[in-house]
Structures are given as C-alpha cells and as structure tokens.
Amino acid sequence: MRIAVDAMGGDHAPQAIVEGILMAEKEFSDVEFLLYGDEKQINPLLGDKVNQTNIKVIHTDEKITSDDEPVRAIRSKKTASMVLAARAVKEGEADALFSAGNTGALLTAGLLIIGRIKGIDRPGLMPVLPVIGKDDQQFVFMDVGANADSKPENIHQFGILGSYYAKFVLGIENPRVALLNNGSEAGKGSELSKKAYELLEGDDSLHYIGNIEARELLTGDADVIVTDGFTGNAVLKTIEGTALSLMKLMKSSIMNGSAKAKIGGLMVKGALSEVKDIMDYSKHGGAVLFGLRAPVVKTHGSADKTAVFYTIKQIRKILASSVIDDLVHHFEIQKENE
Amino acid sequence: MRIAVDAMGGDHAPQAIVEGILMAEKEFSDVEFLLYGDEKQINPLLGDKVNQTNIKVIHTDEKITSDDEPVRAIRSKKTASMVLAARAVKEGEADALFSAGNTGALLTAGLLIIGRIKGIDRPGLMPVLPVIGKDDQQFVFMDVGANADSKPENIHQFGILGSYYAKFVLGIENPRVALLNNGSEAGKGSELSKKAYELLEGDDSLHYIGNIEARELLTGDADVIVTDGFTGNAVLKTIEGTALSLMKLMKSSIMNGSAKAKIGGLMVKGALSEVKDIMDYSKHGGAVLFGLRAPVVKTHGSADKTAVFYTIKQIRKILASSVIDDLVHHFEIQKENE
C-alpha cells in the first residue's frame, strides 16, 4: 500500500511529519511513503533513509498555509504539496492521503481532486474518539465539520458511513448507531434531527439505537454517533476545550496549593498523565474525511511525530480493510434498487 | 420581594428545596417565600419556622413529575405545584418563579402562564457559567434548549437579552457578546449563523465581538455567548459530560494506581474538590428562562440545598436589579421606532 504524505502541512512540518513517517516505516514494512514537499528540508531529516525504496520524496516549493482560503488555495496553488499528494491518489499512484495541514483545504482537495463515492452526497469528517474509563473501546463521531449545514439525508448517510468504519476498521461486529439529540426519547429534537431520526430508524441495514444526549457521548453507549456538521464541530471543540481547561485548572490548583498539595501533585503525576493520554485522541488516529473514493486522513495541526505515527497506523488499517470497496458496493446496490 | 417556589419539583423534593429555602430565609430578610406543595411533607421540614410570616405554604396534592409530557402536564394538571406557583406570578402575588422540576414543563408554564415580554419572540434558557481559572468571572450562554430550532432573529434577541443580564445582574459594564460558530473569522458558519452574525453586527446597542469557537467557551473571552437552542443544548451537555468523565477517570486512575498515587491522591484532595466546585455551576445559580415578564429560574433536578440557596440568591439579585423593566422598555422603544 502507498500513502501520499503532505510533508509540509502542520505547525511542526516537515520535521514532525518526517520523524513520524520514519517511526511508521520501521514498524510497517508493507507501506510505501510518497513525501510531497521541499526536498532541501526533507532530505536532511531522512538522513541515511533518503535512498530507501519505501520512501520517495517528490519535490515542490509550494505549500498551503493555515491562513490560506481553502477553495482558492486548492485552485490556485496547483503545485502545493497537498495538491500534488491528492493528485497522486486521484491518478492511482497512491492509495490514501495524509495531511496535518489546513483542514478546509484538505476537505476541498478531497472533494474536488479525489472525489466522492458515487451515491454519497456529502462526505463527513469523522474522528475516532476514546470511551472514557474503558481502555480499548472507541467510537466514531461525525460530521465534525466537513459541512456547515447538513440535511437529514446527509445525517442518514453518516450513519451508514460510520457503521461501515466501525465494523470493518474498528472490528465491531454489529455497531450501535445513535443520533445526537437534545433528548433521549423518540420524537425529540429540531426539525432536522426529527427527520434524520426517521431515516435512520427506517434503514434496516443499520443497528440504530435511537437518540443519545451529548452528556452520554463519551460513555461508550454507542459505537457510531451522528449529527449535522455544525453541531458536531461545536461538540468536538467543547470536549477539547473542557478537557484542556480542567487539566490546566487541576495543575494550577495543585501548584498554588499547600506544600502538601504540591508533593501530592508529584505523586499523582502518573495518573494525571494517564488522563491526558486518554484525552489525547491523536493516539486514536486522525479524523477521516469519509465518503471519498480513497481514505483522506487529517491529524491535528499541532501533531507531533507520535500522532503522525498513529495516524499512519490507522490509514494502514483502513487500507487493509475492504471498507471503501464495501461502501462503493453498498451505494451501487442502493442505486440499482431505486 | 416574593418568590413562588415549586416545592415538589426535583429529585430530592421537597426536602432539598425546603432546606435550601431555610438557608436563604436566614440570609435574606427581604424575601418572602411562597411554597407550593404537599403541606404534610413540607410543614415537618419547616419545623418551628412553620408559622413565620416570610414563609407561606400553599397546599396542593398534585405535582408534575419528570416523566410527564410538558405541554399536556401544564394543561391538564391545573393544581400542580408548578402550575400554581406560575399562576401566582402571573396574578402578581409573586415576583419570580423557582423550580428544580421538569424543565420542559417549566418552559411551558413560563410561556403559557407567565408570558413573554412584548417584542421577544422566543425566550431562551440561559445558565451562568464559570470562567475556568478566573475565580470571580462568569459568563452567560444561551439558548441551551428552550427552543429546538432557532431563527437568526431569535439569536439576535438572545444577544440583547444576555447583554442586559450581564450588565444589570452580573454588573459587567460593557458586556462582550459573541456568536458561537465553527470558525473565528467573519463569513464562517452555517446559513443560520451567518445570518445571525449580520444581525448582531448591525445592532449598535450591542458590544458585539464576532465569532467564538466552542474550544474558547470557558476561557472568558466573551461575557455573553449566543447560539441556537439545539447547538447550545449539545454544548452545555458536552461540558457536563466531559467534566464528569474526566473527574471519574482521575479518581479511578489514582485509586487503581500505586500506593504512592493513592497517598498523593489524598494530598491533592483539596485541589480536586476545588476543581469540582468550579465546575459545579449550581453555585453560580440556576438557568434563567429569560425573555418572560418575570424571572423563571430552573436549577438542576439533582440540586441539593446549597444549589437551591444559590439559585434563590441569584433570583434576589435579578429582582433587585431593574433588568426585566429595562428589557420591557428596550423592546417598547424598538417597537415605536419601527
């Protein structure tokens, strides 16, 4: 399998990206990496690996920055590292696209260059999130912002997409799909969520378990949680913000406390960093722009080499599964039955 | 000032309610309490205060439960404690309504019995939230779920409502109003939030500072944060769920850790409970159903006597301010200018 890497995307690019790729290259001998970016910066980081056959550097001077307006950047910066990487996937030279760069631009590149699976109207951005307190349990949540507005039909498709991912990539036999809503009872919700509820409930291919409230999001009661892109974006950022604020508060409470609290703080350092680790969902991989003809995976702009490594591990798992082909098949059959 | 109390609403009613009222009664000699509910249960809790002139018990056998369907309950249970309390406000026998009961029913009672301020289309539910890490700073956030669907005009009015509250009740001179959105730049967002942005920006009476992302919600960058009722509900519940999950995880990490971690855990207990205190926003008062002709304030169903006390303190502050009259005036003038 071949992964096209936007080596210039992200706050610590290309260093963190290349170092992460080197970690992954050691572990996964079946992956070939195509690194798009400035060879003057990348080659020194590769060191003696520069001539290895499983790592290829494709030079370009141009890159997309976090300040670039997405659509304009993708259209005008035709030789940007992200654009070239996306084009490699489109042309079959690579099987998946990885970037830590401008999210909006990556979404645009995915949609305009790689393209949607036939039958999917709106791909969604889908992170894999940890279930708090249950070590090896994860769930997927979408859409966290590929779309600013979603229709009931889009949310229904997010349920199908998430369900396929949970089954074929996470290995969950019969994934429980839930709709994020403002009450747990059927009949609750906005006009949008009520209509989405009906579509999800009417789809026999899904193991739909009904509404879930945001309070229960991290408890593991569902394997796939779907909502519109605006709400999903707000909810994901609220999780991040709340966790960050609380960890900060905890630290400052300990540091500004008594001498006893400070010593105690040192003694619970392990526990604190365990909590931080669990919330650091970069270890669970990146967010997949799902619904495209190939996996496009985004990790945090601030990603370090470890986050890059885990995201490559995730992409490898997606490619090793048949999930994209299965989805293509699902929507072909649906089309035939219409 | 006279507060009508639904003594039968909430998980620990009437005990927690009556005990909280007794705490408040000691502190606030200028408040008269009208307790609606079962006198056989309430009187013994009042003990020797049963004959005090500042506490009056109005007996009723009927009450609304958390399982009741809101609109049906308000219409059919005409002598329920919540309904009688709302009616007392409507008829001028009390100045404000307090309940820890069924939120939907309270919203309905507020709308149908007490009624909206003229010119306000949709009242919103507005909690006062803590700014993490800044002890005495608070902000208001609305709508957290009085409405399942909001229009741009509603969100604009939430900005006006929140601004008045922040100024006249929280004492913030020139409250900064922000719109919760999926990006910080102008021009971002859903169709709804883009239109709300324009209305807020065009209102010279507001100190509008633009978009804020959910990640920055608890940082104190804005004094009033507005959004539609569906997103606000999801965001508030996400804060609660994330904080709860993290505190649990922290505890179990410490308890399942080494002996050292356990001892350390005892030593940081103070810091942990400080964090818990800050997140326990019942101490910041209840959520105000704001935009009605009188204050209607809801505290958590699980509220204990302390939460009841703080909510009464908040209601007293609202009544002592001129905020409702000022709002009535604001919308009268607006009407005249149209």
Side-chain angles (χ1 to χ4, degrees):
Chain A
M1 48 187 82
R2 298 152 307 165
I3 301 176
V5 175
D6 168 17
M8 307 310 283
D11 306 342
H12 311 301
Q15 184 163 354
I17 311 299
V18 175
E19 285 175 3
I21 296 300
L22 288 175
M23 279 173 75
E25 172 270 334
K26 247 180 263 169
E27 192 99 3
F28 311 123
S29 57
D30 53 354
V31 182
E32 195 181 316
F33 298 94
L34 309 176
L35 306 189
Y36 292 82
D38 180 2
E39 62 184 10
K40 286 184 300 297
Q41 290 181 66
I42 296 170
N43 285 346
L45 294 165
L46 284 174
D48 57 1
K49 307 266 176 168
V50 77
N51 289 317
Q52 263 183 222
T53 52
N54 60 342
I55 302 181
K56 200 185 284 179
V57 179
I58 299 97
H59 175 75
T60 176
D61 279 326
E62 200 168 29
K63 66 178 176 185
I64 289 171
T65 70
S66 59
D67 298 326
D68 276 328
E69 198 284 314
V71 179
R72 197 180 317 139
I74 294 299
R75 291 218 163 114
S76 66
K77 293 186 165 181
K78 290 194 190 301
T79 61
S81 54
M82 186 193 282
V83 173
L84 292 183
R87 228 164 254 300
V89 175
K90 155 94 179 163
E91 281 151 22
E93 293 158 23
D95 307 303
L97 169 56
F98 165 78
S99 177
N102 185 319
T103 308
L106 188 65
L107 299 177
T108 309
L111 284 168
L112 296 187
I113 301 173
I114 296 173
R116 292 171 286 136
I117 291 174
K118 218 172 162 171
I120 291 181
D121 301 315
R122 297 292 198 114
L125 192 60
M126 181 188 75
V128 181
L129 295 172
V131 171
I132 302 291
K134 290 180 190 162
D135 273 4
D136 286 325
Q137 201 181 327
Q138 303 174 318
F139 70 100
V140 292
F141 180 45
M142 80 193 294
D143 171 27
V144 301
N147 308 283
D149 289 283
S150 303
K151 295 192 180 125
E153 294 74 21
N154 304 143
I155 297 177
H156 174 206
Q157 288 193 339
F158 298 154
I160 300 170
L161 287 166
S163 206
Y164 267 85
Y165 192 93
K167 186 166 179 182
F168 292 103
V169 183
L170 300 182
I172 298 166
E173 187 59 50
N174 191 17
R176 297 158 300 169
V177 179
L179 175 69
L180 187 73
N181 211 336
N182 61 4
S184 53
E185 309 86 348
K188 285 265 179 180
S190 59
E191 290 308 311
L192 174 63
S193 60
K194 281 184 209 167
K195 283 181 198 152
Y197 186 101
E198 278 173 30
L199 292 174
L200 287 161
E201 204 187 22
D203 185 340
D204 294 335
S205 75
L206 295 176
H207 179 195
Y208 181 57
I209 60 167
N211 292 326
I212 194 166
E213 293 194 71
R215 210 182 277 120
E216 315 297 327
L217 205 76
L218 300 170
T219 57
D221 290 344
D223 305 303
V224 178
I225 302 179
V226 293
T227 186
D228 66 279
F230 190 84
T231 308
N233 187 269
V235 162
L236 184 70
K237 286 174 181 164
T238 304
I239 295 175
E240 292 173 2
T242 307
L244 210 67
S245 293
L246 281 185
M247 294 305 287
K248 251 193 213 163
L249 181 63
M250 184 81 61
K251 268 191 199 157
S252 85
S253 279
I254 289 172
M255 292 322 291
N256 298 328
S258 60
K260 196 178 81 177
K262 277 178 202 148
I263 298 167
L266 289 172
M267 294 169 93
V268 296
K269 222 175 159 185
L272 274 169
S273 78
E274 195 187 336
V275 172
K276 220 178 135 203
D277 268 12
I278 287 176
M279 283 314 294
D280 177 10
Y281 52 83
S282 60
K283 294 204 174 151
H284 299 260
V288 188
L289 179 60
F290 209 46
L292 297 175
R293 278 183 286 208
V296 172
V297 185
K298 166 75 172 69
T299 188
H300 260 277
S302 60
D304 60 7
K305 61 181 178 184
T306 315
V308 172
F309 169 80
Y310 278 104
T311 310
I312 295 296
K313 187 175 172 182
Q314 175 193 20
I315 295 175
R316 184 171 164 273
K317 216 169 156 191
I318 299 173
L319 290 176
S321 81
S322 55
V323 68
I324 302 265
D325 287 343
D326 290 332
L327 274 170
V328 170
H329 188 65
H330 178 104
F331 285 97
E332 268 170 5
I333 289 195
Q334 197 180 61
K335 190 83 195 159
E336 280 165 20
N337 291 344
E338 273 170 16
Chain B
M1 49 186 82
R2 299 151 306 165
I3 301 176
V5 175
D6 168 18
M8 309 309 285
D11 306 342
H12 311 301
Q15 183 162 354
I17 311 298
V18 174
E19 286 175 2
I21 296 299
L22 289 176
M23 280 173 75
E25 173 270 333
K26 246 181 265 170
E27 192 99 3
F28 311 123
S29 57
D30 53 354
V31 182
E32 196 182 314
F33 298 94
L34 309 176
L35 306 189
Y36 292 81
D38 181 0
E39 59 184 11
K40 288 185 298 296
Q41 292 181 67
I42 295 171
N43 285 345
L45 294 165
L46 285 174
D48 57 1
K49 308 266 174 169
V50 78
N51 288 316
Q52 264 183 222
T53 52
N54 61 340
I55 302 180
K56 202 186 284 178
V57 179
I58 298 96
H59 175 74
T60 176
D61 279 327
E62 201 169 30
K63 65 179 179 186
I64 289 171
T65 70
S66 59
D67 299 325
D68 275 330
E69 198 283 313
V71 179
R72 198 180 314 138
I74 294 299
R75 292 219 162 112
S76 66
K77 293 186 166 181
K78 290 194 190 303
T79 61
S81 54
M82 186 192 282
V83 173
L84 292 183
R87 229 165 254 298
V89 176
K90 155 94 179 163
E91 281 151 22
E93 293 157 23
D95 306 304
L97 169 57
F98 165 78
S99 177
N102 185 317
T103 307
L106 189 64
L107 299 177
T108 308
L111 283 168
L112 297 187
I113 300 173
I114 296 174
R116 291 171 289 137
I117 291 174
K118 218 171 161 174
I120 290 181
D121 301 316
R122 296 295 198 111
L125 193 62
M126 180 188 76
V128 181
L129 295 172
V131 171
I132 301 291
K134 290 179 189 162
D135 273 3
D136 286 324
Q137 202 182 328
Q138 302 174 319
F139 70 101
V140 292
F141 180 45
M142 78 194 294
D143 171 28
V144 302
N147 308 283
D149 290 283
S150 304
K151 295 192 180 124
E153 293 74 20
N154 304 142
I155 297 177
H156 173 207
Q157 289 194 338
F158 298 155
I160 300 171
L161 288 165
S163 207
Y164 267 84
Y165 191 93
K167 188 167 179 181
F168 292 102
V169 183
L170 300 182
I172 299 166
E173 188 58 52
N174 191 17
R176 298 158 300 170
V177 179
L179 175 69
L180 187 73
N181 210 335
N182 61 5
S184 52
E185 308 87 348
K188 285 266 179 178
S190 59
E191 291 309 313
L192 174 63
S193 59
K194 281 185 208 166
K195 283 180 198 152
Y197 186 102
E198 279 173 29
L199 293 174
L200 287 162
E201 205 188 22
D203 186 339
D204 294 335
S205 75
L206 294 176
H207 179 195
Y208 180 58
I209 59 167
N211 292 326
I212 194 165
E213 292 195 72
R215 210 182 277 119
E216 315 297 327
L217 205 75
L218 300 170
T219 58
D221 290 344
D223 305 302
V224 178
I225 302 178
V226 293
T227 186
D228 66 279
F230 190 83
T231 308
N233 187 270
V235 163
L236 183 70
K237 286 174 181 164
T238 304
I239 296 175
E240 293 173 3
T242 307
L244 208 69
S245 293
L246 280 186
M247 293 304 289
K248 247 194 215 164
L249 181 63
M250 184 84 59
K251 269 192 200 156
S252 86
S253 280
I254 289 172
M255 293 322 292
N256 299 329
S258 61
K260 194 178 82 176
K262 275 177 203 150
I263 297 167
L266 289 173
M267 294 169 92
V268 296
K269 222 175 160 185
L272 275 169
S273 77
E274 195 187 337
V275 172
K276 221 180 136 203
D277 268 12
I278 287 176
M279 283 315 294
D280 176 9
Y281 53 81
S282 60
K283 295 206 175 151
H284 299 260
V288 187
L289 179 60
F290 209 45
L292 297 176
R293 278 184 286 206
V296 172
V297 185
K298 165 74 172 69
T299 188
H300 260 277
S302 60
D304 59 9
K305 60 181 177 183
T306 315
V308 172
F309 168 80
Y310 279 103
T311 310
I312 295 296
K313 187 176 172 181
Q314 174 192 22
I315 295 176
R316 187 171 163 272
K317 218 170 155 191
I318 300 173
L319 289 176
S321 81
S322 55
V323 67
I324 303 263
D325 287 344
D326 291 333
L327 274 170
V328 169
H329 188 64
H330 178 104
F331 284 97
E332 267 170 6
I333 290 196
Q334 198 180 62
K335 191 84 195 159
E336 281 165 20
N337 290 344
E338 271 172 20

